[in-house]
Amino acid sequence: MYTLGIETSCDETSCAVLSGLKVLSNVTISSLKQHKKYGGVVPEVATRAHLKNIDKVFSAALHEAKISLKQIDLIAVTHKPGLIGALVVGLNFAKALSLGLDKPLIGVDHLRAHLFAAFLDGSRKIEFPFIGLVVSGGHTDIYLVKDFHRPKLIGATCDDACGESYDKVARVLGLGYPGGPVIDKIFDEKEKNAFKFKCGRKELDLSFSGIKTAVLYKKQELEDQGVLKREEMIRLVSSFQGAVVEAIVDTVRDAALKYKVKTVVCGGGVAANRYLRAQLIERAADLNVIIAPMRYTTDNAAMVAGLGFYLYNRGFKNGPRLKAQAR
Ligand code: KG4
Ligand code: ZN
């Protein structure tokens, strides 16, 4: 069975073809460069880029998977959450295909798809329950997952999302956008305690807005003492990332303990972070930690197709009335 996945919730236009859970193609065009000068995603710019690129990624995904239009059996599309204009582009494309080809359509929740990314290519067996950790540019969510259609939100950020805090810290330090990959690259574990930063935490909820301000103040203080040298920049960034990763890993461990769950599944853009990946495995050694493979951490259509296929096999599907939902 061939599933076509479509993802347009933010700044990545992506189409993928899966055979069962095996990824045959996963083609993405990002409009990231066009947003760089604004320091964040501009919805209107992203929407126009989706309109321009969706045909291209669709044709390329079919070509790479070596299948024809008529061989598509199921169409899975992200319909929530995301930028509304951006979502509508992918959703309407999916609806038109579904009607034109007379093939079933299934709407997929983007955040659940980030978790499903851990199971693509059939590399891991899907077993419930698990603690699901979604760390992305828009979300920092912790779920108790008893099945993919009914995850229970048990923790979240009270303010900024984790990826958003990486982006904001990188911006105040003049490191460019997006901040996650840059900070990941220059992070030095030996410097993670150079400055005392801390994330806010209350039970299973987190807060990242205070630490962002603390980094800004520390930067200003260092600048007042002279020019901010590269070594100090590395200390700042490393102390920031050290605190963020510690808070996330602590919270996930507490969630597993509270709900007596042995497995943790992690996905989303920030799950690409090398230190977070290493710490999850090291500090949660008593748990079964499953992290989405690197190539499926940032937004992609393979994870959408995978979850769509999974849900369709459990009797879920949607019709042409399926709506895009921003939140
Ligand atoms: O999941 P994603 O591609 O889009 C959303 O659904 O939001 O996540 C994008 C976020 C950005 O904030 C980016 O800075 C962050 O993921 N990110 C990283 C890394 N790569 C991307 N954060 C930390 N370390 C990384 N290596
Ligand atoms: Zn995402």
Side-chain angles (χ1 to χ4, degrees):
M1 178 168 172
Y2 292 117
T3 306
L4 172 78
I6 302 173
E7 158 65 41
T8 64
S9 68
C10 192
D11 57 345
E12 266 93 28
T13 317
S14 185
C15 281
V17 176
L18 268 60
S19 168
L21 287 183
K22 191 174 175 340
V23 181
L24 301 183
S25 66
N26 185 31
V27 183
T28 305
I29 299 181
S30 175
S31 59
L32 189 85
K33 277 199 182 129
Q34 296 173 58
H35 307 287
K36 266 188 197 287
K37 63 178 173 220
Y38 304 105
V41 177
V42 181
E44 179 68 11
V45 173
T47 304
R48 282 171 192 273
H50 288 314
L51 275 171
K52 191 172 148 221
N53 295 327
I54 192 143
D55 275 329
K56 274 188 225 162
V57 293
F58 172 64
S59 305
L62 291 189
H63 182 78
E64 222 178 87
K66 298 189 176 65
I67 68 158
S68 69
L69 192 65
K70 290 204 175 84
Q71 285 176 282
I72 298 171
D73 299 300
L74 171 68
I75 298 147
V77 61
T78 301
H79 76 114
K80 68 171 183 177
L83 306 169
I84 194 72
L87 286 168
V88 165
V89 176
L91 183 58
N92 283 340
F93 194 89
K95 283 182 186 175
L97 267 181
S98 162
L99 286 169
L101 298 173
D102 193 22
K103 291 292 155 76
L105 172 76
I106 180 145
V108 166
D109 178 300
H110 180 85
L111 302 171
R112 296 173 196 176
H114 268 308
L115 293 177
F116 197 86
F119 302 103
L120 287 174
D121 291 325
S123 51
R124 297 292 195 129
K125 211 168 152 229
I126 306 171
E127 276 172 329
F128 302 107
F130 62 79
I131 297 296
L133 168 69
V134 181
V135 272
S136 75
H139 292 82
T140 307
D141 289 344
I142 301 170
Y143 297 94
L144 173 63
V145 186
K146 291 190 176 160
D147 205 335
F148 275 101
H149 64 278
R150 49 172 183 151
K152 184 179 170 207
L153 188 68
I154 54 170
T157 174
C158 311
D159 36 60
D160 294 346
C162 176
E164 192 182 353
S165 76
Y166 270 89
D167 296 337
K168 287 181 175 172
V169 162
R171 183 160 49 182
V172 302
L173 297 178
L175 296 172
Y177 173 84
V182 195
I183 293 177
D184 190 358
K185 205 165 157 203
I186 63 176
F187 173 78
D188 180 354
E189 194 174 351
K190 292 191 290 298
E191 300 288 1
K192 70 172 194 232
N193 296 316
F195 301 113
K196 283 204 167 36
F197 295 142
K198 227 174 162 44
C199 294
R201 253 201 80 185
K202 193 176 168 219
E203 292 175 16
L204 299 179
D205 291 329
L206 287 148
S207 159
F208 296 101
S209 108
I211 190 168
K212 167 196 71 191
T213 315
V215 173
L216 172 66
Y217 287 162
K218 188 47 95 181
K219 178 212 168 208
Q220 285 167 348
E221 194 186 306
L222 292 169
E223 272 174 347
D224 290 344
Q225 292 164 6
V227 190
L228 186 66
K229 294 203 200 74
R230 184 161 168 84
E231 302 88 77
E232 278 156 350
M233 184 75 90
I234 291 172
R235 278 188 203 118
L236 273 175
V237 159
S238 304
S239 306
F240 162 76
Q241 175 161 297
V244 168
V245 169
E246 184 178 286
I248 293 174
V249 177
D250 284 351
T251 312
V252 163
R253 286 188 56 93
D254 288 354
L257 205 64
K258 180 171 175 185
Y259 290 93
K260 299 184 178 62
V261 171
K262 281 275 156 220
T263 303
V264 171
V265 175
C266 175
V270 185
N273 189 274
R274 290 173 302 168
Y275 185 59
L276 174 63
R277 296 176 82 93
Q279 286 290 295
L280 272 173
I281 290 164
E282 196 183 310
R283 290 199 40 231
D286 49 334
L287 299 169
N288 172 28
V289 178
I290 307 175
I291 312 174
M294 278 289 204
R295 62 188 179 284
Y296 304 131
T297 49
T298 45
D299 290 351
N300 67 85
M303 64 185 194
V304 178
L307 180 53
F309 170 75
Y310 175 90
L311 292 173
Y312 182 74
N313 282 317
R314 270 147 197 81
F316 294 91
K317 66 174 181 175
N318 301 100
R321 282 176 200 277
L322 180 66
K323 281 199 169 59
Q325 289 167 31
R327 298 181 74 87

